[in-house]
Amino acid sequence: MILPPQHPLSAGLTTDSRLVRAYRGERADTTPVWFMRQAGRSLPEYRDLRVGTRMLDACLDPAMAAEITLQPVRRHGVDAGIFFSDIVVPLKLVGVDVEIQPGRGPVFGRRYDDAAAIAELTAIDPAGLDAAAAPITEAVQRTVAELNETAPAGRETGSTPLIGFAGAPFTLAAYLAEGGPSKDHLAARTLMHADPGAWAALMHWTAELTGRFLRTQVLAGASAAQLFDSWAGALSLDDYERHVAPASARALSFVHDLAYGTGVAAGEPDAAGSDAATQTVPVVHFGVGTGELLGAMRGVGADAVGVDYRIPLDVAAARVGAGVPLQGNLDPALLAAPWAVLEAAVRDVLRRGQAAPAHVFNLGHGVPPETDPTVLTRVVELVHEAGA
C-alpha cells in the first residue's frame, strides 16, 4: 500500500531526514539522536501538564498526547519525536481491563495464564482496534502537523520525523499472563511450555493487536516504527526463535507493506520496470537484555536494531550481521555522572557505532525521571558536534 500524498514520507518532508536516512543505512551530515522515554518523565513541563490526569487518560487525549510528544523536540533539538503512548493502550481500546498504577505499571483485572482465560481474551477481535483508534490517529496527526510548522535551529521546517511505537507480542503476553509487572516473567515462560497451544493463541492475538496499533500510527503520519520488546531478555535464544519470533514478525508485517516513492506498491515494478524508487517505512526493533538475541530480533523483519547498554555497539554489529544500522546505547545511569565522564561515554558510543553502516544515538533504555533536562540537551549538542 502506498502512503497518501500528504504523508511526510510521500511528501518528501522526512525522507532525507537524518533519522530516516540512518534507518536506511545511510550516514547524513551528523549522527541523529533521540532518547527513549524522552516524551515526559524528566521534563517539568510534562509534569505540570499531567497534574490530575491518569497515564492512560493522557495517552487517549489527542491534544495532550501531541503536546507531550512535542515537548522534548522543542527543548532538546532531537532528530525525532517518539509518539507519547503506552504499550497497553491497544489493550485498553479493545476493552481489556487494565490501568497503569503509579510506581507499579500496568495492572490487569485478571491474569490470562490458562487456556480458558486466553480463550476469553482472544474472543475479542483485534480488528476492533481499527474502529476504536480515532484518538491515536488524531494525536499523531496533530503532532505531525505541528512538526510540519516548526523546526529546531538549523533544520528545515517539517523535516523532523515522528516515530510510532508499539509493544512486542511477548512483552504484552508477559504482562497479561502475570496480570501485571513481574521480575522474572515466570508465568509467561511457564505457559509457553506447559500449554503451547494456549501460548500460541495468545501470541497470535497480541501480534494482531499491536501490529494494528503500529500501523495506525504510520498511516496517520509517523515516518518510522519501533517495536519494543521490554522483557525478551528473559528468554533463551531457542525459546525466542520457537515461541516468540514468529509473532513479532507478524506484528511487523502490518507495517511492511506501507511504502512511499513512485506510486506503486512495494515490490511491484513501476512503468519503467523498476521498483528501486519505492521505499518501505523503516522499522527498528529494540529489546532489553537481548544481547544474545540480536541476530534473531533483526531476523523478524527489522531494518535497524536497537541495542541496550549491556553490550558495546561494535560487538552488537558483529552479532546482527553486516549491513544492519544500529541504535543506542548510552547507559542511562551516566546521565547523572560528572560531565567529563558522560562526555567520554558519549564519544565512546559514537566511536563504536562506526562499526555499523549507520548509527542512531540513543540511550540503552529509557530516560530516568530524575534526569536534569539540561544534560539531555547538552548530550544532543555533543552528538551533533562529535558525530559530524
Side-chain angles (χ1 to χ4, degrees):
M1 174 183 175
I2 293 295
L3 294 169
Q6 67 272 22
H7 191 283
L9 288 171
S10 295
L13 293 172
T14 57
T15 50
D16 290 324
S17 64
R18 294 166 180 164
L19 183 92
V20 172
R21 288 182 63 184
Y23 285 159
R24 290 200 306 248
E26 306 169 12
R27 291 192 179 267
D29 60 316
T30 191
T31 301
V33 51
W34 66 277
F35 304 112
M36 284 185 284
R37 292 183 184 161
Q38 68 185 16
R41 307 222 313 172
S42 67
L43 299 183
E45 55 265 43
Y46 164 79
R47 292 192 290 270
D48 291 344
L49 186 62
R50 276 284 315 278
V51 171
T53 304
R54 295 182 299 178
M55 176 63 177
L56 290 181
D57 291 338
C59 293
L60 296 174
D61 180 325
M64 186 175 289
E67 171 59 22
I68 294 170
T69 302
L70 292 161
Q71 286 174 347
V73 179
R74 299 191 197 108
R75 178 185 274 261
H76 303 311
V78 287
D79 293 288
I82 178 72
F83 183 55
F84 176 75
S85 190
D86 190 89
I87 63 170
V88 300
V89 164
L91 295 168
K92 182 78 170 179
L93 287 173
V94 296
V96 176
D97 182 7
V98 59
E99 291 296 338
I100 297 179
Q101 294 184 1
R104 187 179 177 197
V107 176
F108 294 84
R110 62 173 298 181
R111 293 167 62 116
Y112 297 92
D113 59 351
D114 60 35
I118 291 170
E120 180 181 325
L121 177 69
T122 57
I124 301 172
D125 187 355
L129 179 72
D130 299 344
I136 306 305
T137 297
E138 182 182 345
V140 171
Q141 290 173 339
R142 281 174 174 261
T143 305
V144 171
E146 179 73 16
L147 289 172
N148 286 347
E149 295 173 3
T150 60
R155 213 173 301 163
E156 291 184 11
T157 300
S159 65
T160 303
L162 177 68
I163 304 169
F165 94 99
F170 174 75
T171 289
L172 291 181
Y175 277 120
L176 287 162
E178 194 70 40
S182 168
K183 292 183 178 180
D184 55 15
H185 317 292
L186 188 62
R189 293 189 290 120
T190 297
L191 180 64
M192 76 168 59
H193 295 290
D195 193 338
W199 175 256
L202 178 60
M203 289 296 284
H204 177 78
W205 187 84
T206 54
E208 294 283 314
L209 187 68
T210 207
R212 289 176 181 274
F213 185 55
L214 202 55
R215 183 182 182 88
T216 294
Q217 296 169 60
V218 174
L219 289 176
S223 294
Q226 176 159 296
L227 193 68
F228 285 65
D229 212 343
S230 303
W231 308 134
L235 300 170
S236 68
L237 177 59
D238 183 64
D239 280 349
Y240 181 83
E241 290 180 330
R242 293 175 58 194
H243 300 290
V244 172
S248 293
R250 174 57 183 159
L252 291 180
S253 73
F254 282 85
V255 176
H256 282 156
D257 72 315
L258 301 179
Y260 61 97
T262 60
V264 297
E268 294 182 3
D270 59 18
S274 171
D275 65 351
T278 301
Q279 300 275 358
T280 53
V281 176
V283 173
V284 59
H285 193 9
F286 171 77
V288 179
T290 52
E292 300 301 320
L293 310 180
L294 291 174
M297 290 176 64
R298 196 272 172 171
V300 302
D303 299 299
V305 174
V307 183
D308 83 350
Y309 60 88
R310 295 170 178 85
I311 175 174
L313 286 182
D314 48 351
V315 176
R319 293 187 181 185
V320 300
V324 181
L326 295 181
Q327 179 175 279
N329 69 336
L330 181 73
D331 185 346
L334 288 164
L335 294 173
W339 176 253
V341 175
L342 175 55
E343 179 182 4
V346 169
R347 292 182 183 276
D348 184 64
V349 170
L350 289 170
R351 179 181 62 81
R352 294 177 185 275
Q354 293 290 325
H359 173 215
V360 176
F361 188 94
N362 209 307
L363 302 180
H365 204 233
V367 175
E370 63 276 8
T371 300
D372 180 352
T374 62
V375 172
L376 292 175
T377 303
R378 198 173 177 187
V379 168
V380 172
E381 293 169 349
L382 174 60
V383 170
H384 285 161
E385 175 189 350

